């Protein structure tokens, strides 16, 4: 079974994707982490993320691997554990630039399809183009969204808990800038895929969203609640 979860940053995709993967016994694939590792591979070569030709060549040769359980996932770039390094603000911005590059997207989408198709029980994939491009025939597609202010507040609190220093205003402006780039790029912009179940998580707590998602999955499998 393939579960696709798309939406802007801070809507709860990662947390809910991990919860679903655990509950359903599926592999969990954070495709944003792959784009972040791709951006890091470009940065490590001192290449400008905007340089499309060089960036796609570097990413094409990079070895990006995600291993481990959803809660303790490790991300390897050319054999080096980069799970912490890719979570910086700088890397989020670089990933957003690199992910607008069609050459890079082609490499990532191929890998994501291969990983999803070879997962023995199926896979939960979360990102921006899973239901629209990577797995348009997914068994179920979700689009999680929330007001920018709610997403910025969550991100800000997460960052603070991790000891990262920022302000709510700065987080909000970064989220708006990234959203703008993700929805306006010509190749695979963030969009609501056909047949996607849209959930606005602004006013809901995690458990409520989780239950709604499980219900939809049961419905799609024709199971009783
Ligand atoms: O979900 P995230 O913040 O880790 O994603 C980092 C960047 O990668 C984000 O700006 C959008 C991009 N991305 C994408 O274009 N397609 C995906 N399937 C996943 C992420």
């Amino acid at each position: 079974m393939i579960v696709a979860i798309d939406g802007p940053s801070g809507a709860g995709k990662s947390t809910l994707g991990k919860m679903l993967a655990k509950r359903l016994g599926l592999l969990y694939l954070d495709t944003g982490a792959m784009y972040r590792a791709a951006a890091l591979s470009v940065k490590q070569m001192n290449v400008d993320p905007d340089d499309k030709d060089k960036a796609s060549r570097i990413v094409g040769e990079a070895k990006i691997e995600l291993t481990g359980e959803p809660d303790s996932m490790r991300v390897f770039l050319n054999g080096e554990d980069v799970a912490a390094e890719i979570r910086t603000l700088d890397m989020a911005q670089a990933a957003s630039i690199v992910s607008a590059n069609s050459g890079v997207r082609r490499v990532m989408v191929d890998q994501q399809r291969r990983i999803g198709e070879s997962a023995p029980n199926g896979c939960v994939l979360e990102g921006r183009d899973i239901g629209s491009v990577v797995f348009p025939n997914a068994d179920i597609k979700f689009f999680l969204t929330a007001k920018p202010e709610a997403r910025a507040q969550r991100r800000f609190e997460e960052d603070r808990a991790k000891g990262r220093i920022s302000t709510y205003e700065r987080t909000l402006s970064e989220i708006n800038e990234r959203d703008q780039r993700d929805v306006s790029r010509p190749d695979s912009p963030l969009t609501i895929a056909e047949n996607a179940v849209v959930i606005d998580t602004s006013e809901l707590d995690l458990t409520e969203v989780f239950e709604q998602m499980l219900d939809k999955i049961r419905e799609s499998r024709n199971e009783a609640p």
Side-chain angles (χ1 to χ4, degrees), residues 113-132:
R113 285 191 183 134
R114 228 175 307 126
I115 296 169
E117 279 159 7
S118 58
N121 300 323
C123 188
V124 176
L125 297 96
E126 61 112 330
R128 306 293 192 287
D129 61 339
I130 309 301
S132 55

Side-chain angles (χ1 to χ4, degrees), residues 41-107:
S41 72
V42 174
K43 285 235 162 183
Q44 280 180 344
M45 302 297 267
N46 290 320
V47 165
D48 182 349
D50 272 316
D51 186 332
K52 290 199 173 353
D53 288 345
K54 281 192 187 156
S56 47
R57 207 166 328 121
I58 293 169
V59 174
E61 285 166 10
K63 193 167 174 217
I64 296 169
E65 296 160 295
L66 274 61
T67 62
E69 293 303 307
D71 284 332
S72 53
M73 219 185 54
R74 294 168 75 195
V75 183
F76 289 90
L77 171 62
N78 299 323
E80 183 197 349
D81 188 342
V82 295
E85 218 176 321
I86 60 167
R87 292 296 158 198
T88 64
L89 213 83
D90 195 31
M91 219 44 71
Q93 295 296 349
S96 174
I97 295 169
V98 161
S99 67
N101 180 335
S102 296
V104 169
R105 297 203 75 83
R106 216 168 305 127
V107 175

Side-chain angles (χ1 to χ4, degrees), residues 123-193:
C123 188
V124 176
L125 297 96
E126 61 112 330
R128 306 293 192 287
D129 61 339
I130 309 301
S132 55
V133 176
V134 184
F135 282 107
N137 297 323
D139 297 272
I140 179 109
K141 301 178 192 179
F142 293 102
F143 188 89
L144 299 185
T145 186
K147 294 188 189 83
E149 292 74 14
R151 295 190 281 119
Q153 187 62 39
R154 283 178 198 155
R155 227 346 94 79
F156 171 61
E157 282 166 17
E158 269 171 31
D159 284 350
R160 202 171 43 182
K162 287 178 190 156
R164 277 184 223 135
I165 298 160
S166 189
T167 61
Y168 166 76
E169 288 71 24
R170 180 151 178 237
T171 310
L172 178 61
S173 102
E174 276 151 5
I175 278 201
N176 282 331
E177 187 191 325
R178 214 138 67 85
D179 284 355
Q180 189 48 37
R181 204 182 291 123
D182 294 344
V183 298
S184 61
R185 66 176 176 228
D187 188 349
S188 319
L190 172 65
T191 172
I192 302 177

